[in-house]
Amino acid sequence: MNSGKPNILITEPIPAKVIDHLRDFANVTVGEKGYFQSEENLINEIQPYDALLCMLSVPVTEAVMKAGSNLKIVANFAVGYDNIDVETAGSLGIRVANTPDVLTEACGDYAMGLLLALSRKLKEAEQYLRDGNFKGWEPLGFLGMELRNRNLGIIGMGRIGQAFAHRARAFGMNILYHNRSKLDPDSEKALDATYIEDSGELAEKSDVVSLNCPLTDNTHHLVDSDFLNRMPVHALLINISRGAVIDEVALAEALHNKAIAGAALDVFEKEPEVHPKLLTAPNTLLLPHIASATHRTRQDIGMLAADAIISVLNGKDDREIPNLITP
């Protein structure tokens, strides 16, 4: 490493433009995919680095940050940051950054895509054709849910929740939402959205429930057996937030018992592990955490994280770095 430049660790490969941008400023090391998901590996190798650009799967714990005696900033390649011990970072004077805003539209599109695929049974219909079973148009084949005049219940009405709501409104859906607080009147009016204070009541009133909330102590296993039992039997569940918002055992049982009609999941509690009962559940669309997977969005995520790193290492005032997290 060149001692005249700061040292940056990127925990696995990201878009080349981002890496090149950082290499103009610093010595950059890019880890192998999965290697720094091990806390032990990170502890053993973090000490020389001034900055860490990491994935949600990387455990940035108290022990990691104490081992990183030169660390000045940890930047997550994600909008979430539940993998980072933010309080410890604050106590050690380490800045923490995430990447809000840049993935909103991609995630809004993706949530709408999941809903369309799930409600119209696209995965099952395609497999039916590929298996050689398609013999011609069938009047009772793969009947699904029409979206117009159905209720979409959104849990977590932040940027992504609102982006999904705008798209669903274009399909004629009615918007219900549960959030830590009500939207401002103008935003609520723009979506013609109805606030539901109790998440269980939202479950009862929704034909589709979408999870777009952060993972906190209050949202951990929010969707449990009680929540699922309150959903109508024809209802669908979508999750692009965090896997642990759902009790996966309870969901698998609900799907196998046809207590709800289907689920589309982009995230899982113990990624990359998927609960085996979910793998065999009917009308279930399971995808490998790709909600933000567009060329433009992934590059924008990386550039926002990189610019936060460069700003902090250059001594820029925290108030001028909009994506820093305050403990």
Side-chain angles (χ1 to χ4, degrees):
M1 295 181 183
N2 182 346
S3 59
K5 290 184 175 183
N7 301 313
I8 299 172
L9 173 62
I10 303 174
T11 57
E12 64 184 75
I14 60 175
K17 184 175 180 179
V18 180
I19 297 172
D20 291 342
H21 180 54
L22 285 169
R23 280 187 170 145
D24 287 340
F25 167 76
N27 302 308
V28 176
T29 301
V30 181
E32 295 181 6
K33 180 175 172 58
Y35 179 77
F36 286 111
Q37 291 179 18
S38 161
E39 181 186 20
E40 181 181 358
N41 289 344
L42 196 55
I43 289 170
N44 289 339
E45 300 195 28
I46 194 64
Q47 196 277 329
Y49 294 100
D50 301 281
L52 174 66
L53 199 164
C54 59
M55 311 302 123
L56 271 171
S57 54
V58 174
V60 187
T61 61
E62 178 179 0
V64 166
M65 286 183 280
K66 286 184 175 178
S69 56
N70 291 307
L71 269 183
K72 299 170 183 65
I73 177 170
V74 175
N76 238 20
F77 192 89
V79 66
Y81 49 92
D82 45 273
N83 59 310
I84 301 172
D85 184 339
V86 176
E87 288 189 8
T88 294
S91 70
L92 295 173
I94 299 170
R95 311 299 194 278
V96 176
N98 68 337
T99 59
D101 295 333
V102 293
L103 44 68
T104 299
E105 299 306 321
C107 290
D109 290 347
Y110 184 72
M112 196 69 227
L114 291 183
L115 175 52
L116 290 169
L118 187 64
S119 64
R120 297 300 299 272
K121 303 181 184 294
L122 299 188
K123 183 186 79 169
E124 294 86 349
E126 188 204 21
Q127 192 61 52
Y128 180 81
L129 182 148
R130 288 181 180 276
D131 290 343
N133 296 318
F134 180 49
K135 307 303 180 184
W137 183 79
E138 302 174 41
L140 297 179
F142 301 101
L143 301 181
M145 178 193 292
E146 202 162 309
L147 300 182
R148 182 164 296 278
N149 295 324
R150 294 287 189 173
N151 291 339
L152 169 61
I154 296 177
I155 296 180
M157 199 58 133
R159 299 177 185 91
I160 295 171
Q162 291 182 53
F164 184 23
H166 278 292
R167 288 155 175 77
R169 284 288 297 151
F171 281 77
M173 299 191 79
N174 307 310
I175 308 300
L176 313 176
Y177 75 99
H178 172 76
N179 205 42
R180 284 174 292 184
S181 57
K182 289 188 66 174
L183 296 178
D184 64 85
D186 288 343
S187 297
E188 200 170 70
K189 184 178 179 181
L191 294 168
D192 194 17
T194 301
Y195 178 67
I196 306 292
E197 186 172 0
D198 177 65
S199 61
E201 181 183 350
L202 180 135
E204 292 174 354
K205 293 182 175 179
S206 298
D207 301 295
V208 179
V209 173
S210 176
L211 303 174
N212 301 90
C213 52
L215 176 61
T216 66
D217 290 342
N218 291 330
T219 62
H220 182 266
H221 284 192
L222 174 68
V223 177
D224 56 11
S225 56
D226 180 64
F227 184 102
L228 292 160
N229 287 333
R230 295 178 73 170
M231 292 175 65
V233 293
H234 67 269
L236 305 172
L237 178 68
I238 295 171
N239 188 15
I240 64 168
S241 60
R242 292 289 177 267
V245 175
I246 296 176
D247 179 339
E248 292 181 350
V249 174
L251 175 59
E253 290 177 356
L255 289 163
H256 280 286
N257 296 332
K258 298 184 179 179
I260 65 171
L265 309 177
D266 185 58
V267 288
F268 304 92
E269 183 164 11
K270 297 179 180 178
E271 289 183 18
E273 179 185 338
V274 179
H275 195 285
K277 288 188 176 180
L278 285 176
L279 292 170
T280 60
N283 200 25
T284 307
L285 186 59
L286 307 175
L287 293 160
H289 204 149
I290 57 171
S292 66
T294 69
H295 291 290
R296 176 179 175 179
T297 293
R298 290 285 171 86
Q299 183 170 286
D300 287 349
I301 289 171
M303 293 300 281
L304 188 58
D307 285 343
I309 288 172
I310 292 169
S311 294
V312 167
L313 295 185
N314 276 333
K316 194 171 183 179
D317 191 293
D318 287 3
R319 291 169 294 182
E320 300 178 56
I321 311 171
N323 55 320
L324 290 185
I325 302 300
T326 303

